[in-house]
């Protein structure tokens, strides 16, 4: 069912490392798109040295056949398919299955998975009661992580995924229930009754129904919103070894179950430098809109290192020319906002910020371009998603990627528990002193 890892080809030219008067040959491997890596897995045994790479900017943590990014050329592909090709009518579930199965789903695979999504959409009543324990002001990302983790308690039979059939059931449970959890978290924060999933609705309309319907007053999702929301989720679905995905892999490498690993991914995604940036972008745009600052003043502040302010939604560790997801989302924002709200002053401010930054040497020299978070919030806002749910939307989108990466890791021969080393810079050995002898 799943594509095997395309095995890396060993290059003929190993790298030579010279340390003092000794030299060492290190194997060089090459991935299917020509990216080369020096294999240092025996380095410490051979030389007594380790490598140091803060933030892992130059460290490949795994071999993966799921997503390819060429940051210099602005390329992003899922299982080989360019991201742009999903922008014209693909559904999120189709892309989720592409990532998970390794191929575009057949009708039979799609239908079977869709049926599972429908039958798993309900939350156990015991789980529902857990929402009551959270304060109304609880951040939805905290609730999401806690609830995904607590799914392990309700499905202990899925701790150990024996075969692909069981794995697909766990994946469907997660992908289905995450939207119910997200919608319930939102409704809890508003103090309004939970709305049950509607088995007649597809994935996105069902989520929006659980978010926005009122008893006896069903929310109807327009085609425009359905397409935009599917696209947003698709564009977030995987991004190779980013912070949250690496977290999922790291936790999973200890043998932790899929639910626990994905719950950890939610926590990593929450941070403002990662998925939380979509919230920060909206707050930044709103601050400028409130008249606290002009776009020019904000950009000036973002260039001042002492200010600790960054132009949120700009810059990326990997993309150094443009983020293809941002380009697609900008077009969606330009099309959707006029149709849904006429105009949005925040969109105008975003355009202005982008113009200023893209003609400023500070941003040009550092290759800082709008990333996926720059325009996504404007679209979500136009759809009616509240700002504190933005990163939750990112999580729903990223979940299939986490699931696919977790499974791939578990089925890659030679996978070991993730356990980086460090360069210790603390005290040399010293003695313990009893309290009365301390200075
Ligand atoms: N505004 C101002 N300066 C920036 C920005 C920014 N948004 N991003 C990077 N820089 C500067 C940074 O100060 C540094 O300057 P210098 O070389 O003079 O010290 C240089 O650019 C390189 O930055 P870095 O922090 O070393 O780059 P990184 O690869 O470690 O960080 C990043 C990448 C995305 C965390 C960073 O660009 C950033 O903080 N951006 C704003 C937050 C954001 O939008 N995050 C969403 C990322 S995309 C979606 C996701 O991954 O979840």
């Amino acid at each position: 069912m799943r594509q095997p890892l395309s095995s890396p080809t060993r290059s003929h030219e190993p790298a030579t490392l010279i340390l003092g008067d000794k030299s060492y040959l290190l194997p060089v491997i090459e991935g299917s798109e020509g990216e080369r890596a020096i294999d240092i897995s025996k380095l410490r045994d051979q030389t007594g040295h380790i490598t140091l790479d803060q933030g892992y900017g130059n460290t490949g943590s795994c071999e993966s056949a799921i997503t390819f990014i060429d940051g210099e050329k602005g390329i992003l592909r899922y299982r080989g398919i360019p991201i742009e090709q999903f922008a014209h009518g693909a559904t999120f579930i189709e892309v989720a299955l592409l990532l998970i199965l390794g191929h575009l789903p057949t009708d039979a695979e799609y239908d079977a998975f869709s049926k599972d999504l429908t039958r798993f959409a309900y939350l156990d009543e015991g789980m529902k009661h857990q929402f009551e324990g959270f304060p109304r002001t609880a951040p939805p990302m905290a609730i999401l992580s806690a609830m995904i983790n607590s799914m392990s308690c309700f499905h202990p039979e899925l701790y150990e995924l024996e075969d692909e059939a069981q794995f697909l059931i766990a994946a469907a449970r997660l992908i289905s229930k995450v939207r119910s959890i997200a919608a319930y978290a939102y409704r809890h924060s508003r103090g309004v009754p939970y709305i049950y999933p509607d088995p007649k609705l597809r994935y996105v309309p069902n989520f929006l129904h659980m978010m926005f319907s009122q008893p006896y007053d069903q929310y109807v999702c327009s085609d425009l919103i359905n397409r935009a929301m599917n696209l947003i989720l698709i564009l977030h679905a995987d991004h190779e070894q980013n912070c949250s995905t690496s977290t999922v892999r790291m936790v999973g490498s200890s043998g932790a179950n899929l639910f626990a690993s994905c719950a950890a991914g939610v926590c990593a995604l929450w941070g403002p430098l990662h998925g939380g940036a979509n919230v920060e972008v909206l707050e930044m745009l709103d601050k400028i809109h409130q008249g606290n600052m002009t776009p020019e003043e904000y950009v000036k502040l973002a260039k001042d290192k002492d200010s600790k302010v960054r132009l949120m939604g700009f810059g990326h560790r990997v993309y150094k020319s443009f983020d293809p997801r941002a380009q697609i989302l900008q077009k969606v924002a330009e099309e959707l906002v006029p149709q849904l709200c006429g105009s949005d002053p925040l969109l105008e401010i975003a355009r202005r910020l982008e113009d200023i930054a893209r003609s400023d040497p500070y941003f040009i020299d550092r290759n800082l371009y709008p990333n996926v978070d720059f325009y996504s919030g404007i679209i979500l806002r136009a759809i009616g998603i509240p700002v504190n749910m933005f990163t939750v939307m990112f999580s729903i989108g990223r979940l299939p990627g986490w699931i696919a990466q977790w499974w791939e890791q578990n089925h890659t021969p030679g996978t070991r528990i993730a356990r980086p080393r460090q360069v210790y810079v603390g005290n040399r050995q010293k003695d313990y002193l009893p309290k009365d002898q301390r200075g």
Side-chain angles (χ1 to χ4, degrees):
M1 169 174 99
R2 195 164 302 96
Q3 285 178 343
L5 274 179
S6 14
S7 47
T9 49
R10 296 258 162 198
S11 139
H12 297 293
E13 288 272 327
T16 307
L17 174 70
I18 300 173
L19 282 171
D21 57 358
K22 287 199 176 147
S23 68
Y24 305 89
L25 290 180
L26 300 172
V28 173
I29 63 163
E30 187 173 309
S32 52
E33 289 285 347
E35 187 161 58
R36 290 192 178 182
I38 302 171
D39 179 347
I40 55 149
S41 48
K42 302 274 183 294
L43 185 72
R44 191 166 180 276
D45 285 348
Q46 287 175 345
T47 69
H49 291 60
I50 60 166
T51 55
L52 179 64
D53 181 21
Q54 285 204 14
Y56 308 128
N58 298 288
T59 297
S61 59
C62 60
E63 293 168 24
S64 178
I66 300 172
T67 289
F68 172 68
I69 301 177
D70 182 331
E72 274 67 39
K73 297 188 184 139
I75 292 173
L76 169 60
R77 297 183 199 138
Y78 295 158
R79 300 283 187 185
I81 303 175
I83 193 82
E84 293 78 8
Q85 295 185 14
F86 299 114
H88 309 287
T91 68
F92 172 58
I93 295 308
E94 205 179 358
V95 172
L97 281 171
L98 168 70
L99 293 169
I100 289 169
L101 301 175
H103 58 259
L104 285 167
T106 61
D107 281 352
E109 286 167 336
Y110 192 93
D111 290 348
F113 197 72
S114 297
K115 279 196 186 113
D116 282 346
L117 292 178
T118 302
R119 88 188 152 102
F120 295 144
Y122 298 92
L123 299 184
D124 188 288
E125 291 295 309
M127 211 168 163
K128 252 173 64 185
H129 293 312
Q130 291 184 41
F131 285 91
E132 308 304 330
F134 289 106
R136 288 266 161 84
T137 50
M141 285 296 276
I143 299 183
L144 187 68
S145 172
M147 287 300 185
I148 290 179
N149 209 3
S150 80
M151 278 177 71
S152 332
C153 313
F154 292 91
H155 305 289
E157 78 283 5
L158 297 176
Y159 280 176
E160 308 268 338
L161 301 176
E162 305 270 322
D163 54 28
E164 287 178 349
Q166 241 194 346
F167 164 62
L168 279 179
I169 287 183
R173 278 198 187 278
L174 261 167
I175 292 173
S176 183
K177 286 193 199 304
V178 73
R179 73 193 152 152
S180 314
I181 293 171
Y184 278 35
Y186 168 64
R187 298 192 74 97
H188 175 67
S189 74
R190 301 286 307 273
V192 292
Y194 305 128
I195 299 288
Y196 284 115
D198 180 342
K200 292 184 293 305
L201 295 177
R202 312 297 297 234
Y203 191 82
V204 163
N206 209 354
F207 168 65
L208 293 174
H209 151 70
M210 284 189 270
M211 285 282 290
F212 300 132
S213 286
Q214 296 300 349
Y216 306 109
D217 182 9
Q218 178 134 4
Y219 172 90
V220 179
C221 176
S222 69
D223 269 1
L224 184 70
I225 290 180
N226 190 11
R227 270 189 284 122
M229 190 64 103
N230 266 286
L231 187 53
I232 288 194
L233 296 177
I234 289 170
L235 294 178
H236 287 87
D238 195 47
H239 214 232
E240 50 119 304
Q241 305 314 316
N242 58 83
C243 178
S244 54
T245 302
S246 301
T247 301
V248 169
R249 278 187 178 257
M250 168 127 357
V251 173
S253 78
S254 74
N257 69 63
L258 181 62
F259 305 109
S261 304
C262 290
V266 172
C267 294
L269 191 72
W270 192 357
L273 296 185
H274 192 11
N278 55 14
V279 172
E280 304 279 325
V281 170
L282 239 282
E283 286 172 0
M284 169 184 80
L285 297 175
D286 202 42
K287 199 187 247 177
I288 296 171
H289 177 53
Q290 298 303 324
N292 297 336
M293 224 181 270
T294 64
E296 288 75 7
E297 285 167 344
Y298 196 95
V299 171
K300 194 168 167 216
L301 200 63
K303 294 192 293 179
D304 174 4
K305 294 282 182 322
D306 294 334
S307 74
K308 305 270 182 249
V309 169
R310 287 195 163 193
L311 185 56
M312 298 312 286
F314 256 71
H316 199 275
R317 170 65 60 80
V318 179
Y319 293 119
K320 297 301 168 200
S321 59
F322 63 94
D323 179 340
R325 304 167 300 173
Q327 289 193 325
I328 298 170
L329 287 176
Q330 181 181 13
K331 283 196 198 119
V332 175
E334 298 289 356
E335 182 198 333
L336 187 109
V337 166
Q339 294 189 58
L340 288 183
C341 356
S343 70
D344 181 353
L346 300 198
L347 177 57
E348 284 158 34
I349 293 169
R351 283 192 208 113
R352 180 78 196 121
L353 281 173
E354 183 176 348
D355 283 349
I356 300 169
R358 292 192 62 173
S359 53
D360 186 312
Y362 174 96
F363 292 89
I364 296 170
D365 295 349
R366 290 171 178 75
N367 297 315
L368 302 172
Y369 293 84
N371 59 47
V372 68
D373 294 315
F374 197 66
Y375 286 103
S376 64
I378 290 172
I379 302 169
L380 291 172
R381 194 170 102 110
I383 291 172
I385 306 287
V387 177
N388 70 346
M389 290 292 289
F390 284 6
T391 316
V392 171
M393 299 312 301
F394 195 150
S395 312
I396 297 176
R398 185 55 55 89
L399 190 58
W402 291 337
I403 293 170
Q405 300 263 356
W406 183 92
W407 180 257
E408 181 185 72
Q409 171 173 271
N410 276 9
H411 290 80
T412 301
T415 293
R416 303 164 78 196
I417 186 168
R419 204 304 185 185
R421 286 184 178 267
Q422 63 167 15
V423 176
Y424 175 71
V425 294
N427 291 330
R428 306 291 301 268
Q429 181 173 335
K430 56 193 258 187
D431 291 327
Y432 170 83
L433 292 178
K435 264 192 193 148
D436 59 359
Q437 292 175 29
R438 296 173 203 164

